[in-house]
Amino acid sequence: MSEIQIDKIGLLVGLEIHQQLATGAKLFCRCRPIESDEYSIKFSRKLRITSSELGEFDPSAIFEKSKEKTILYSRNPESSCLVEQDDEPPHDLDHNAKETVLIMASALKSNIFNEIYVMRKLVIDGSNTSGFQRTMLVSTGGNIEVNGKKVGVQSICLEEDAAKLLQDSKDTREYSLDRLGIPLVEIALDPVSGTPQEIKDIALTLGRMLRATKRVGRGIGSIRQDVNVSIEGGGAVIEVKGVQKLDQLEKVIEYEAKRQHGLKIISEKLRTLKTEKIIVNEDVKNVIDIFKNCKSKIIQKSLAEGSSIKAMKIKGFAGMFGWEPYPGIRLGKQLGELVRFFGLGGLFHSDELPNYGIEELEIQQIIKILDVGSNDAFIIVAGNEKKLDIVIESIIKRIEDAKNGIPAETRAATITGETVFLRPRPGSSRMYPETDIPPVIVSNTEIEQAKSKIPKSWEENLLALQKQYELNQQLSAQVFDSEYLDLFETICKDKKIPPNFVASTLCGTITNLERQGMDSGLLKTSDILEAFSLVIDGKIAKESLEMIFGSIMSGKSKTISEAIRSNALNTIEDTELHKILDELVESSRKIIEEQGLRSMGPLMGLAMKTLRGKVDGQKLNQLLENKIKIKIDKK
Amino acid sequence: MSQFGYKGKGLEFLTSNKIEIGNQVKIHADLIYSGVIMPRYEHSDDHHIVLKLKSGYNIGLELDKIKKIELETTSAIKKEVIRRSSQPNPKLPKILLLSTGGTIASRIDYRTGAVTPALTAAELNASVPELSIIANIDTEVLFSEYSENLLPEHWIKIAEKLDSYSTSEYDGIIVAHGTDTMQYTASALAFSLAGFPKPVALVGSQRSSDRPSSDAALNLIAATRFLIEIHSPGIFVVMHNNSSDDEIACNWATRVRKNHTSRRDAFKTIGGPPAYIVKANSIEKDKMFDIPKREYVPKIKFDSRVLLIKYYPGLDSKVIDYATDSGYRGIIIEGTGLGHVGKTMYAAIEKAKKNGVFIGMTSQCIDGMVRMTVYDSGRDLLNLGVIPLGNMIPETALVKTMWALANSKNSDEMTKLMKESIALEFSD
C-alpha cells in the first residue's frame, strides 16, 4: 500500500451543478413547491422499460428494471397535482423558469438555441412517476472565470427535479411528490485538471453567480453537484451524483481519484496473471446444502427467507479480491457494492474467509465442489432464486471488466465523502421527445431581455450588502453564501433590529449549533422568522435565540412557543425584574460595600443565573448598575 | 410540398446540401454541432432544422446561423427491432388481440410531434412479454385510428370481425381501442352482438405505451387473465380501477362511461361497482352482476340518423326542428334532473313526434333514474310521446337508438326494443 500522488495521475474533473430555481411554481404545473410531511393521497405503480425513438434500450434502464420494485407514492395536494401523479398531461412551461435559465445562460456567455425541445430522459427507478425526467437543452458553450482562469461551459439544461426518496426496502420503494417537478438548472462544465481545492473554488464561484440572480432555491438539497471524474489511462469517466455540500466535494474527488487509480493498478496486475473466463454451467454451483448449519448471521437470514446460495470459482484470481493498492480500495468491495444494489446483503470472497461465521469446514467443502485450485478464488452469494442468476451475471461481467480498469458507471456520493455504485452509465438512448409539449421557441428579443438582466457580480453584490446593512465584509460574504440571504433581508427590512446581530445569528449561531451535531433541517424558515419577530416585539430577549434554536435543532421542541415554554424564556415584567434585582442587591450588601462598582461583575453573573434569556443583556446591565450606584450613594 | 415536416427554406437547405433525414452530420454555426438530422413537426416554421445531439437531446438550429453542414454517415436511425415473442405453448389458452388504434398503441408521430397510433398488435404483444406466459396471443390489425375518428361503420367492421370468431378456438378476444369513444363502441358491440358466446375485453390506455408509466401493459395483462380465468361471455371495458397499478376494473359495456380526461381510472361503471375487479392474485365478481342467458343472434346494423342533445336554459328549439326537417329518425335528450326540458321545447317535440321521430329521455345528472311522473313537466313530455329511458347512460341510449332503428320494422317495434333490456343497459 502506498500514498496516492494526486497531481501525478492525470486527474480530470468535470462539474455538473443542479440548482433548484425559486420561481414559486413547478416547471410544468402551477403547484407550489413546499415541503410537507403529511400526505393525504397515496398510490402505487410499476414502471416498465421502453425504447428510445431510435429503437434502442438504455443500459441503466435495463439494470433498474432488473430490480423490479413496486413504487409507492405519497402526495400532498398543496404541493402536487395530477401532473405529478402522471395522471394528467403537463401544463405549459413556467415562463419564470424559462426567463431565469436564459439569464443564467447569458451570464455564462452560452449560445442559446432558438428552438428548444423538451425531452424525456428515461429514469425508471421510480423517482419520476412518469418513468422519465423532462429536460431540455437550452444552450451550449460559454465560460466562467474562476481566479483569473476561464472554465468552459459544456451545456445548460432546464429540467424537473425528481421525487424525494422516503424509503427503500427489498421489494418496494417509497417517494414523496413534494419536490417532483421543481425547476432545476443543470450546468455542465468542461473537465479540468486541478486540485480538489481548485475544483471546489469553481463550484463556489458558479454557485455565487447563480445565487446572484436571486431566483434560486436555498437550503440543503437545493443545489447538488455531480462530478465527472477520470484519470489518465483509466478509460471510463465516472459520474458521481449527489454531492450536497462543498466540503464533501473535495473528499469525493480525492476518494474517487484514489479508487480509480487503485482499480487501474489492480487491472495492470490482473493482466499479468493467468486468469480464465468464468463459465456459468461449470464454475457456478448451488451450495445451499453446505450452509444448512452455518453460523453466519447473513447466511442464516437468507436461509430463513428461503433464498438460494451459490458459489462461483474464478480461475487465477487468488488474492485479487482482497488486495488493496490503497487503503480501502479493493475489488471485493466493488463487487459488494454491486450486489447490494440488487437488494442483496452482500457477498463473501475467498480472500476474506474464514470470517463472518463461515468456517474452515464449509470452505473446504466449497473448494471440493468447485475444484478450487491454489491460484483460484471463489465467491459466495445468497439471494432470491430468480434474482440470483441476474446478480451472478452482473458479477461475472464486473470481474471480466476488472482487467480493463474502471468500468463506466454512475456512482453516488456518501455523506462521508466516499462513492458507491449506483447503476451503469446511461447513454443517449434514454432520450425520447416529450410528445405532450410542442417545441419551446426562444425569440431573439427574449435573449436580449435576458442579457439586460444579467445579475451583478458577487463582489458588487457584497459591496451593496455591506453598504445597505452596514455589515463588515466577512459577515456580508457569509450571509451571501449562506442559505439565509432572503431570510436575512426579510428580517432586516424594517430596520427594527441590528442587521449585524441577525447576520451573526443566522451564519454564526446556527452553524455553531450544527457543529455540535444538531440538525438545521429541523429549523424551518417560518420558525426563524417567528423567533426574530418575538425579539423585535420585546417578547423574548436576543440572548434567548441560541437556546430556542438549539431546542428545535436538537429535536427537543417542535415549535418556537414550545421551545420558549420548555426553557422558561418568556420575558418578565419590569416590576418583577426590579423586585429580583432589588433582592439581589440587598442580599449582596456586603460585596457592594467592599468592592463598590467592581461588584458589578460577580453580581451580573448571579443575576444571569435566573434571568438568562428573559431579559435583554444590555438592559439588565444598565438596571443592575443603577441599583448598585444607588446603594453605594445611600451608603 | 413538405418532406418529414421540412418545407420551404428548410427543405431547400437540406436538398441543396444533399442531406437526408437520419444522416449523421456536422454543422458549423456559432459552435460546431455533431448529430443526426431528425424529422420536423409539420406545424413548425421553415427556418430551423432539428438535430439530435450525441447526448440524445434534440435542438432546433436556425438556418441563418448555419455556416456549413457536412455529411458524416448516412443512416443512423435503426429500424425498431421487434423481438419475436416466445414459442407458442400448446397447453396455454388462445386469445385473439384485435387492434384498432388509440393510445394503447401510440408512439411519436413526426407529422405533428404528438403521439399517434403506430404500434401494431404484434409489437404490442412483444412489448408485454408477460402475456406469453399466460396465453398464446394471435394478433390482427383491423385499422389504426384514434377513437374520435371512428364512425358507426367502424363498429360494424369490429362486430363483423368478432362475429366471424364466435365459434373459433379462441378463449376470448381483446379489442385494443382508443379511450375517447370506447364506451360507444362497447355499447354498439353489446347490442349488435347480444348473447355473444365468448368474452370480449375492450382495452385502452390513458397514458401512451411509449412511457414507462403507461397503463397499457397492466390493462392488457389483466384483460387476458379475465378472459381466460372467468370465461364470462359478453362485452367488457377493462381499464384501471384507481390510480395505482393494483386493481383493474372489468366494466360491463353498456354501463361504463369515461369520466376523466386523463386519469388512468377514467372509466367508471355508472350506478354501481364494476362487474369484476382483477387483483394481483384474484378476480372478484360483484355480487349483483349477472348476465341474462340470451340466444346469440347477431344484428349488425346501425342507423346513424340520431341526435344526442343536451337541454340547457336557453336551448333554441330550432335545433330539434332542424333535426326533424333533415330526416333524423331519433333524438336522445339529456334532460335536466328527473328528465325534463323547458316548455319552449314542446312544440318542436310535438312536431318531431308527428313526423315519426323517436324521442328518448335520459338525464344529464349521469347517476340516477329518469322519473317523468313526478312533476307536471315530466307528464307533459310523456303526453307528447317522449319515452323515458330509466337509468340508461345517454351515450348508451344514443347507440341503442341507432341500433334499434336499423333493426325494427316500425315505430312500435322500435319503441318496444328501446324499453326492453337487451344488454343490461338498465341497471334497476
Side-chain angles (χ1 to χ4, degrees):
Chain A
M1 284 195 281
S2 55
E3 263 310 296
I4 186 163
Q5 288 180 290
I6 218 154
D7 52 339
K8 302 242 165 73
I9 58 170
L11 177 69
L12 275 181
V13 181
L15 267 179
E16 214 178 280
I17 286 194
H18 299 254
Q19 170 71 62
Q20 268 185 7
L21 302 185
T23 58
K26 303 271 182 96
L27 192 56
F28 288 109
C29 69
R30 301 292 85 86
C31 286
R32 284 187 306 139
I34 49 164
E35 289 266 337
S36 52
D37 39 26
E38 273 175 45
Y39 307 105
S40 56
I41 299 168
K42 301 203 177 225
F43 58 98
S44 67
R45 295 273 169 79
K46 289 244 184 204
L47 293 175
R48 305 176 62 84
I49 185 168
T50 52
S51 67
S52 78
E53 64 187 315
L54 302 185
E56 289 155 344
F57 287 97
D58 180 63
S60 70
I62 293 172
F63 171 81
E64 200 56 53
K65 170 75 186 138
S66 62
K67 293 199 275 183
E68 293 246 328
K69 290 189 182 185
T70 297
I71 320 285
L72 307 172
Y73 293 104
S74 298
R75 141 170 131 74
N76 175 350
E78 282 182 76
S79 64
S80 59
C81 61
L82 287 182
V83 172
E84 285 90 336
Q85 192 171 317
D86 189 49
D87 258 335
E88 188 172 293
H91 304 179
D92 291 340
L93 175 69
D94 178 36
H95 66 272
N96 216 336
K98 181 184 175 190
E99 188 186 61
T100 306
V101 73
L102 294 181
I103 293 171
M104 289 172 175
S106 304
L108 291 167
K109 300 175 258 330
S110 194
N111 303 286
I112 298 166
F113 299 112
N114 288 108
E115 226 180 40
I116 296 171
Y117 285 77
V118 184
M119 306 294 288
R120 298 172 174 176
K121 194 195 276 178
L122 204 67
V123 185
I124 60 168
D125 62 0
S127 59
N128 288 77
T129 44
S130 53
F132 51 77
Q133 177 190 30
R134 294 186 185 93
T135 173
M136 60 205 97
L137 180 62
V138 174
S139 68
T140 55
N143 62 70
I144 183 166
E145 209 173 292
V146 184
N147 302 332
K149 274 195 267 180
K150 276 184 182 167
V151 180
V153 171
Q154 279 188 340
S155 62
I156 300 178
C157 295
L158 179 61
E159 51 192 36
E160 290 177 309
D161 206 346
K164 186 170 131 195
L165 184 67
L166 298 177
Q167 212 181 358
D168 193 3
S169 62
K170 219 166 112 205
D171 304 310
T172 59
R173 203 179 271 156
E174 203 176 337
Y175 290 94
S176 112
L177 300 191
D178 287 344
R179 216 178 63 192
L180 181 64
I182 293 181
L184 207 64
V185 165
E186 183 205 85
I187 301 173
L189 299 180
D190 283 337
V192 291
S193 59
T195 62
Q197 171 62 42
E198 283 168 316
I199 306 296
K200 188 178 146 182
D201 281 347
I202 297 172
L204 186 66
T205 310
L206 185 54
R208 282 173 174 166
M209 189 286 282
L210 298 178
R211 284 194 291 278
T213 62
K214 301 204 170 176
R215 289 160 176 251
V216 299
R218 289 178 179 242
I220 193 104
S222 63
I223 183 160
R224 295 192 296 275
Q225 280 94 12
D226 291 357
V227 275
N228 297 321
V229 185
S230 64
I231 59 163
E232 203 181 323
V237 178
I238 300 297
E239 183 185 29
V240 183
K241 289 196 110 46
V243 183
Q244 298 204 338
K245 287 195 164 183
L246 281 185
D247 299 334
Q248 202 186 350
L249 183 64
E250 246 177 297
K251 284 192 200 160
V252 163
I253 296 170
E254 273 165 27
Y255 177 84
E256 202 37 42
K258 198 170 74 172
R259 190 187 71 91
Q260 291 186 20
H261 199 245
L263 290 180
K264 192 184 158 200
I265 296 171
I266 291 173
S267 72
E268 283 159 0
K269 186 161 179 192
L270 276 175
R271 287 200 287 265
T272 68
L273 296 178
K274 209 172 152 275
T275 58
E276 282 175 44
K277 265 200 166 358
I278 303 159
I279 303 156
V280 178
N281 294 333
E282 279 176 30
D283 300 328
V284 184
K285 298 249 159 86
N286 194 329
V287 292
I288 196 155
D289 294 337
I290 299 176
F291 291 103
K292 282 272 145 72
N293 300 310
C294 180
K295 289 184 185 125
S296 158
K297 279 191 188 136
I298 300 170
I299 296 277
Q300 284 301 337
K301 196 173 157 242
S302 296
L303 288 174
E305 285 168 358
S307 291
S308 168
I309 303 174
K310 288 192 176 176
M312 179 199 307
K313 176 172 70 171
I314 306 99
K315 284 192 194 130
F317 258 74
M320 287 311 295
F321 291 124
W323 183 49
E324 295 188 339
Y326 299 116
I329 308 298
R330 57 183 182 277
L331 207 48
K333 187 175 171 185
Q334 304 295 309
L335 293 176
E337 286 174 9
L338 180 67
V339 302
R340 267 191 284 280
F341 268 84
F342 281 99
L344 269 53
L347 52 66
F348 302 105
H349 58 76
S350 45
D351 294 344
E352 58 183 355
L353 299 176
N355 202 344
Y356 312 111
I358 294 179
E359 294 175 343
E360 192 57 38
L361 181 73
E362 288 142 353
I363 294 171
Q364 285 311 322
Q365 281 176 283
I366 287 187
I367 288 177
K368 207 172 139 201
I369 288 181
L370 288 176
D371 187 23
V372 179
S374 59
N375 291 327
D376 304 338
F378 65 83
I379 280 173
I380 305 163
V381 57
N384 167 300
E385 176 106 46
K386 215 171 84 186
K387 232 181 220 174
L388 204 53
D389 288 339
I390 302 171
V391 175
I392 285 172
E393 211 176 288
S394 304
I395 295 174
I396 292 174
K397 186 165 180 304
R398 180 65 187 84
I399 291 173
E400 276 161 8
D401 278 350
K403 261 189 198 171
N404 307 324
I406 306 143
E409 58 195 28
T410 301
R411 302 181 64 84
T414 66
I415 298 165
T416 56
E418 295 195 356
T419 69
V420 290
F421 176 79
L422 191 60
R423 54 173 180 255
R425 191 88 204 254
S428 60
S429 43
R430 67 167 170 169
M431 290 293 197
Y432 188 86
E434 170 53 290
T435 51
D436 295 341
I437 306 161
V440 176
I441 308 297
V442 181
S443 68
N444 289 330
T445 326
E446 280 176 289
I447 297 178
E448 286 312 312
Q449 274 169 357
K451 276 186 189 154
S452 72
K453 287 182 184 168
I454 291 177
K456 286 184 278 189
S457 71
W458 181 70
E459 288 78 8
E460 286 171 291
N461 267 307
L462 278 203
L463 276 179
L465 207 59
Q466 268 172 269
K467 219 173 131 193
Q468 188 178 353
Y469 297 104
E470 293 167 1
L471 298 176
N472 64 34
Q473 203 217 341
Q474 195 197 353
L475 205 50
S476 55
Q478 274 182 14
V479 171
F480 190 83
D481 286 343
S482 78
E483 56 189 89
Y484 299 118
L485 178 62
D486 297 342
L487 192 59
F488 168 80
E489 296 201 298
T490 312
I491 296 168
C492 297
K493 197 172 54 193
D494 304 332
K495 307 212 164 165
K496 284 182 182 157
I497 187 163
N500 238 312
F501 168 70
V502 179
S504 60
T505 307
L506 292 176
C507 301
T509 311
I510 296 179
T511 317
N512 279 337
L513 291 169
E514 261 183 331
R515 288 202 185 111
Q516 291 167 33
M518 295 185 207
D519 181 5
S520 64
L522 296 173
L523 189 63
K524 292 194 237 63
T525 306
S526 55
D527 293 335
I528 301 177
L529 276 174
E530 186 186 343
F532 274 103
S533 77
L534 289 171
V535 172
I536 292 170
D537 295 346
K539 300 230 170 71
I540 53 171
K542 281 204 301 252
E543 289 75 8
S544 67
L545 285 182
E546 184 171 355
M547 286 164 88
I548 292 172
F549 292 161
S551 188
I552 290 183
M553 286 168 65
S554 61
K556 283 181 197 144
S557 306
K558 284 222 167 67
T559 61
I560 295 288
S561 52
E562 204 183 305
I564 293 172
R565 240 181 293 122
S566 64
N567 289 295
L569 289 175
N570 280 318
T571 47
I572 57 170
E573 297 288 323
D574 276 4
T575 45
E576 175 73 11
L577 177 61
H578 280 284
K579 206 176 133 206
I580 293 173
L581 291 183
D582 285 340
E583 279 168 16
L584 178 69
V585 169
E586 194 55 42
S587 61
S588 312
R589 229 173 16 209
K590 221 172 145 202
I591 299 190
I592 297 173
E593 275 170 24
E594 284 168 19
Q595 301 190 6
L597 262 183
R598 274 179 297 124
S599 66
M600 254 310 277
L603 256 65
M604 189 69 186
L606 283 171
M608 284 300 273
K609 267 189 186 167
T610 42
L611 296 169
R612 181 184 300 278
K614 298 181 188 181
V615 185
D616 182 89
Q618 229 174 338
K619 183 179 172 187
L620 180 64
N621 200 51
Q622 198 69 51
L623 277 175
L624 188 61
E625 194 179 336
N626 280 343
K627 287 193 190 291
I628 294 174
K629 273 186 187 156
I630 293 165
K631 193 82 195 166
I632 296 171
D633 289 351
K634 266 191 189 162
K635 182 88 178 126
Chain B
M1 153 81 190
S2 104
Q3 258 180 31
F4 290 102
Y6 286 96
K7 57 196 170 194
K9 276 197 223 157
L11 184 60
E12 203 183 293
F13 174 81
L14 289 180
T15 10
S16 65
N17 283 288
K18 298 199 173 72
I19 301 290
E20 287 174 14
I21 308 304
N23 285 171
Q24 168 87 40
V25 296
K26 192 182 261 181
I27 293 178
H28 300 256
D30 41 5
L31 295 170
I32 296 171
Y33 302 99
S34 278
V36 177
I37 298 284
M38 298 301 285
R40 195 163 166 74
Y41 307 148
E42 209 155 70
H43 306 304
S44 309
D45 63 39
D46 74 336
H47 49 272
H48 286 82
I49 56 169
V50 186
L51 194 68
K52 176 174 279 296
L53 301 179
K54 237 185 184 161
S55 59
Y57 279 100
N58 292 5
I59 53 162
L61 287 174
E62 206 179 336
L63 286 179
D64 291 348
K65 291 184 184 164
I66 299 177
K67 292 169 199 145
K68 201 169 95 182
I69 181 164
E70 293 170 74
L71 178 70
E72 292 196 323
T73 49
T74 47
S75 187
I77 299 185
K78 286 181 193 161
K79 278 254 179 247
E80 180 152 1
V81 187
I82 302 161
R83 284 167 298 163
R84 287 182 67 90
S85 46
S86 50
Q87 287 297 312
N89 177 351
K91 285 181 195 151
L92 290 177
K94 285 192 80 174
I95 296 290
L96 175 69
L97 197 157
L98 286 180
S99 172
T100 69
T103 306
I104 193 163
S106 307
R107 275 189 82 75
I108 179 157
D109 169 20
Y110 274 107
R111 195 178 66 80
T112 60
V115 287
T116 195
L119 283 183
T120 61
E123 287 170 304
L124 200 64
N125 193 8
S127 72
V128 191
E130 293 97 320
L131 290 174
S132 62
I133 303 167
I134 47 178
N136 287 325
I137 303 203
D138 290 337
T139 56
E140 204 176 314
V141 182
L142 212 49
F143 41 82
S144 190
E145 287 285 355
Y146 281 138
S147 70
E148 58 270 36
N149 293 332
L150 300 193
L151 302 169
E153 289 86 273
H154 291 97
W155 303 341
I156 292 171
K157 242 179 154 177
I158 301 172
E160 283 173 346
K161 179 59 83 177
L162 288 174
D163 178 51
S164 74
Y165 285 110
S166 64
T167 56
S168 66
E169 55 190 337
Y170 292 112
D171 283 51
I173 301 165
I174 293 174
V175 179
H177 197 288
T179 55
D180 272 14
T181 65
M182 188 147 71
Q183 73 199 66
Y184 296 87
T185 303
S187 282
L189 297 177
F191 293 119
S192 58
L193 302 177
F196 192 71
K198 290 186 187 294
V200 174
L202 270 71
V203 180
S205 114
Q206 286 282 85
R207 316 298 286 147
S208 60
S209 55
D210 62 358
R211 54 171 62 211
S213 60
S214 170
D215 51 335
L218 196 57
N219 290 345
L220 272 176
I221 295 167
T224 308
R225 280 186 50 205
F226 170 67
L227 297 183
I228 60 183
E229 287 176 34
I230 303 297
H231 295 290
S232 171
I235 318 290
F236 296 84
V237 168
V238 181
M239 296 285 290
H240 269 55
N241 194 35
N242 53 45
S243 188
S244 290
D245 284 336
D246 56 6
E247 284 184 6
I248 306 297
C250 305
N251 303 281
W252 179 251
T254 56
R255 296 300 310 164
V256 67
R257 195 170 188 281
K258 186 176 186 179
N259 275 356
H260 199 278
T261 56
S262 58
R263 280 180 68 112
R264 288 162 170 70
D265 54 351
F267 284 84
K268 297 290 178 203
T269 292
I270 302 302
Y276 291 88
I277 292 178
V278 181
K279 297 186 174 176
N281 301 311
S282 63
I283 299 180
E284 287 166 16
K285 180 180 168 292
D286 168 37
K287 272 187 236 143
M288 305 282 285
F289 180 74
D290 213 3
I291 303 169
K293 286 248 180 313
R294 197 183 176 94
E295 196 193 345
Y296 175 54
V297 185
K299 292 181 180 168
I300 309 173
K301 275 194 284 185
F302 295 92
D303 184 337
S304 58
R305 289 172 293 174
V306 183
L307 185 67
L308 173 61
I309 189 167
K310 191 190 207 95
Y311 176 75
Y312 54 88
L315 173 67
D316 190 341
S317 63
K318 282 205 241 21
V319 176
I320 291 176
D321 288 336
Y322 168 79
T324 308
D325 298 342
S326 313
Y328 275 77
R329 296 187 60 209
I331 296 175
I332 294 298
I333 301 174
E334 262 188 41
T336 54
L338 289 165
H340 306 138
V341 294
K343 280 184 207 146
T344 50
M345 298 289 117
Y346 289 4
I349 288 173
E350 201 173 358
K351 182 182 156 193
K353 281 304 294 185
K354 269 193 187 138
N355 281 278
V357 179
F358 172 84
I359 301 186
M361 180 63 76
T362 62
S363 175
Q364 54 191 251
C365 295
I366 305 299
D367 262 313
M369 301 282 289
V370 164
R371 292 303 300 171
M372 296 174 67
T373 53
V374 179
Y375 294 98
D376 290 345
S377 39
R379 293 181 191 190
D380 290 343
L381 290 167
L382 286 173
N383 279 334
L384 290 173
V386 174
I387 306 297
L389 294 174
N391 70 347
M392 211 191 300
I393 301 168
E395 293 84 354
T396 301
L398 169 82
V399 175
K400 188 178 179 186
T401 310
M402 289 186 185
W403 173 79
L405 282 170
N407 291 289
S408 54
K409 289 187 209 80
N410 52 48
S411 72
D412 285 350
E413 204 178 303
M414 156 73 192
T415 307
K416 199 173 150 248
L417 264 186
M418 285 308 290
K419 287 179 174 171
E420 187 190 333
S421 175
I422 306 289
L424 286 182
E425 62 272 31
F426 303 103
S427 73
D428 42 354

